[in-house]
Amino acid sequence: MTGVMLWGVGTSQYRLQPEKRVEELAWTAIAEAVADAGIQPWQIEAIVVGTVFGPPGVATRVQRGLGLPGVPMWTVENACASGTSAYHEAVEAVRRGRFGCVLVLGVDQMSTLFSGAIVPEATDPEGASSLPLPGLYALQAQRYMQEFGVTPEQLAAIAVKNKRNGLDNPRAQLRDKAPTIEEVLSSRMIAEPLTFLQCCPTTDGAGAVIVGRERNNPNDLRIEASAMVSGALWDHRSPDVWGYASVARAAEQAYEQAGRSPAEIDVLEVHDAFTIGEIITLEALGLAPRGKGAELAPSGHTARDGAQPVNPSGGLLSRGHPLGGTGTAQIAEIAWQLRGTAGARQVARHRVGLVETMGGGAAGMDGNACVVTILSVP
Amino acid sequence: MSELGVGRPTKRRPGAAVGGLPVADPRPVLDGAGADAAVVGLRCTQCRYPVPQRRIPWCPVCYGSVAEARFATTGIAWSSTVVQIAVGGRKPPFALAYLDLDDGPRVLVHLAEPAVVPIGTRLRITGTDDGDLVAEVAA
């Protein structure tokens, strides 16, 4: 137990909005989170911002609109886990008594940088060799499929489930229709075996979370655990596919902090930037043994009305993925689910929720960072 | 309001493969040709851990000192894929594989033929293409 509470959440719309200033996305999310927490802006004692592409100085430009001069503020970057890394630092700061109320912001505006897939990082050994992120996940998928006999249809089932969930999320980018397995598999090939509909869309968005000390507010949620790990070597000695070990390390810490087992989790938001990601992640989180994670979506276990719904928001596959803006949106969805205010997306059992975000892309490491947090209704 | 991006600076970062400025090449290096060809990198003098890059300060496994090493150009495929989108200057389709070198580290290579190969396929690095390691199925 951390002794830290989640006070409020808010998000912008998640879609392509290059016409907006990046600060505007942030202010929309922050205003909603402040109102949701039932606080006045001046009660915020510190700000932690998670963003990958910034731009540099974005935190201060956001701060200028908030009227919080001089508060401690820092920006963290951990690839796709930047927003949840910022959240983790805020939780740690409150847990250790440094602050009583911290604003977390996750934000990125991708549409002004990339017209399609993220251009690989030229300073990275594999990025310089033109390995795109869908290519990295495709290498993971090829290995996993050959090792465990998983089928393309099982991969596609993740996209079908999440995009169907996303139809009921008014803030998700993709809401026009839910594809069938056949439509997922026959969409344009991006990197074999991952087709277009198995890749999350480029998106702009921001999410804000306010965490603080215990207070007597029935709207607050208990933060039972927050764990962050950075990457470890992933190389010729590694028994697992890329990414698995970093999620498993964070999950082990989080379950121990919360004193919970995977079976006790009612609802999850996990990093499904590509379909294979959800499968590997759920194995690393202990929802299925190794090689069996691909059965969770086809069996209905992770459906919205299943035993353990995963990505009821539609996930990254529907909401889109503004890197820094993803983790805080995942936390917002779990907060709405646990409070029972998720509307058409509401799951039946909602006492304990889990959020996982894994950021990666640096060659030879099993992730840049992974954050797992567990929240519950007090 | 002016049209987005027209006549104004954009946010694209220097260093990106498209539209950016040149950066120091971080890729593994192939040295020599034919029977003498080798991937050059570092190996720990204590635990023998191989690394496919240079100038790291110590062994990332045991903190021992590292020395220059030459690794075999042959090994087995850990996984492979065919990329069907343009990436930087690369036009689709192109195939990539993780190759576990026989006496060395795992490196990312381009495959000469744009096709997925089964896990464990013997591969040989035959050269480079614009600085990228290129491998083909070993006879």
Side-chain angles (χ1 to χ4, degrees):
Chain A
M1 294 291 169
T2 63
V4 183
M5 307 296 281
L6 184 147
W7 288 8
V9 295
T11 78
S12 70
Q13 292 290 330
Y14 279 62
R15 55 201 48 165
L16 296 173
Q17 34 201 341
E19 74 285 357
K20 289 200 168 82
R21 292 176 61 209
V22 62
E23 296 90 320
E24 192 178 338
L25 302 176
W27 290 328
T28 302
I30 291 168
E32 185 179 37
V34 165
D36 187 44
I39 62 170
Q40 296 300 320
W42 57 83
Q43 293 177 254
I44 294 168
E45 297 172 29
I47 306 171
V48 194
V49 178
T51 185
V52 176
F53 294 105
V58 65
T60 303
R61 281 181 218 103
V62 169
Q63 183 195 17
R64 187 172 55 190
L66 302 179
L68 299 169
V71 299
M73 179 177 74
W74 58 105
T75 299
V76 299
E77 186 269 302
N78 272 338
C80 311
S82 296
T84 28
S85 292
Y87 160 87
H88 175 79
E89 289 307 301
V91 171
E92 274 298 293
V94 173
R95 184 177 75 81
R96 290 166 181 270
R98 185 174 172 191
F99 305 111
C101 172
V102 181
L103 167 65
V104 180
L105 169 69
V107 63
D108 261 306
Q109 189 176 36
M110 309 294 286
S111 65
T112 55
L113 277 167
F114 308 110
S115 55
I118 292 172
V119 175
E121 175 55 44
T123 61
D124 183 83
E126 295 178 355
S129 281
S130 303
L131 175 66
L133 283 159
L136 176 59
Y137 279 89
L139 287 163
Q140 182 193 37
Q142 288 286 358
R143 175 78 191 192
Y144 184 84
M145 292 168 83
Q146 288 188 49
E147 207 169 318
F148 295 110
V150 169
T151 65
E153 287 75 16
Q154 287 176 306
L155 282 186
I158 303 288
V160 170
K161 168 178 73 74
N162 292 355
K163 287 175 191 286
R164 189 177 296 154
N165 288 347
L167 292 181
D168 291 322
N169 185 349
R171 298 186 185 189
Q173 173 156 328
L174 300 181
R175 286 184 301 135
D176 44 350
K177 78 187 269 291
T180 62
I181 297 266
E182 293 70 33
E183 285 167 341
V184 171
L185 293 178
S186 63
S187 63
R188 189 162 62 93
M189 184 59 74
I190 302 297
E192 298 178 17
L194 300 177
T195 54
F196 181 73
L197 291 175
Q198 300 186 55
C199 305
C200 65
T202 295
T203 306
D204 307 327
V209 178
I210 293 172
V211 299
R213 292 194 187 100
E214 295 243 16
R215 58 175 189 172
N216 286 320
N217 187 317
N219 212 31
D220 291 354
L221 297 168
R222 186 171 303 287
I223 299 172
E224 295 192 352
S226 178
M228 179 179 71
V229 300
S230 67
L233 293 170
W234 181 77
D235 56 32
H236 55 287
R237 307 168 305 164
S238 302
D240 305 303
V241 295
W242 176 82
Y244 175 93
S246 63
V247 180
R249 286 196 303 277
E252 186 183 354
Q253 286 184 24
Y255 287 133
E256 189 180 333
Q257 274 180 40
R260 291 201 184 268
S261 66
E264 294 176 69
I265 308 298
D266 295 330
V267 55
L268 303 88
E269 283 280 311
V270 307
H271 191 72
D272 62 332
F274 303 92
T275 49
I276 184 68
E278 178 170 315
I279 292 170
I280 304 293
T281 296
L282 294 181
E283 291 181 11
L285 290 173
L287 266 65
R290 294 250 292 268
K292 299 292 185 190
E295 296 172 10
L296 291 169
S299 75
H301 184 89
T302 53
R304 192 188 290 161
D305 58 357
Q308 289 183 298
V310 173
N311 289 324
S313 70
L316 283 58
L317 286 166
S318 285
R319 186 172 50 237
H321 187 24
L323 305 189
T326 282
T328 42
Q330 292 175 304
I331 293 168
E333 175 70 14
I334 288 298
W336 295 324
Q337 290 287 351
L338 294 185
R339 289 172 180 165
T341 59
R345 305 187 307 286
Q346 185 62 50
V347 301
R349 282 199 325 152
H350 52 91
R351 289 200 50 83
V352 184
L354 181 148
V355 171
E356 175 274 346
T357 338
M358 197 280 273
M365 300 293 278
D366 63 12
N368 293 19
C370 180
V371 175
V372 173
T373 183
I374 298 172
L375 299 109
S376 67
V377 179
Chain B
M1 189 171 129
S2 62
E3 195 182 341
L4 279 174
V6 175
R8 292 187 292 121
T10 71
K11 288 196 333 194
R12 196 178 293 284
R13 293 190 311 164
V18 171
L21 299 170
V23 298
D25 196 333
R27 292 172 292 184
V29 172
L30 183 68
D31 184 56
D36 296 328
V39 175
V40 294
L42 297 171
R43 190 185 285 283
C44 177
T45 59
Q46 304 295 314
C47 76
R48 312 301 297 160
Y49 180 75
V51 184
Q53 54 183 335
R54 293 166 297 169
R55 300 184 195 94
I56 61 173
W58 50 71
C59 171
V61 173
C62 77
Y63 312 107
S65 59
V66 288
E68 282 208 13
R70 296 174 69 82
F71 305 120
T73 53
T74 52
I76 58 171
W78 182 82
S79 185
S80 60
T81 184
V82 178
V83 179
Q84 298 283 6
I85 57 172
V87 181
R90 288 270 169 195
K91 299 279 183 293
F94 64 93
L96 294 167
Y98 278 123
L99 169 56
D100 288 349
L101 298 175
D102 287 330
D103 60 351
R106 178 173 295 168
V107 291
L108 182 76
V109 298
H110 284 250
L111 295 179
E113 298 295 323
V116 169
V117 297
I119 291 172
T121 299
R122 295 278 314 162
L123 299 175
R124 175 188 299 278
I125 296 172
T126 53
T128 58
D129 176 15
D130 198 19
D132 293 330
L133 299 176
V134 177
E136 54 189 49
V137 176

